Amino acid sequence: MTEHPVTDPIQRFLADLERARATEPFDATAAALATADMEGSPSVRFVLVKVVDARGFVFFTNEHSRKGRELRGN
């Protein structure tokens, strides 16, 4: 029997998250978030993914921070 790969990105993430929770010594919900400013200069930082559902990913940030401004603007 051949195992079928998970093609839905949310379901794939949730399966990977469960595997990571079993082995990650720190926080398996940590994720790199990349944004770009209005000129296209990239920036990457880590956030904690708090909720994942069919609508996407939820993380919390200060909307007035650089990250918040870049997400709003681009």
Side-chain angles (χ1 to χ4, degrees), residues 2-8 12:
T2 304
E3 184 177 330
H4 296 286
V6 177
T7 58
D8 177 85
R12 174 69 183 263

Side-chain angles (χ1 to χ4, degrees), residues 14 16-25 27-29 49-50:
L14 291 171
D16 290 344
L17 179 60
E18 286 309 308
R19 280 196 301 279
R21 282 186 171 143
T23 59
E24 177 55 47
D27 193 337
T29 68
V49 177
K50 296 298 184 180

Side-chain angles (χ1 to χ4, degrees), residues 5-62:
V6 177
T7 58
D8 177 85
I10 300 295
Q11 292 304 314
R12 174 69 183 263
F13 174 84
L14 291 171
D16 290 344
L17 179 60
E18 286 309 308
R19 280 196 301 279
R21 282 186 171 143
T23 59
E24 177 55 47
F26 298 105
D27 193 337
T29 68
L33 173 69
T35 57
D37 62 22
M38 296 306 287
E39 288 77 40
S41 297
S43 178
V44 178
R45 78 282 291 152
F46 281 88
V47 296
L48 299 178
V49 177
K50 296 298 184 180
V51 177
V52 181
D53 62 23
R55 296 170 294 172
F57 301 89
V58 175
F59 58 89
F60 298 95
T61 190
N62 179 338

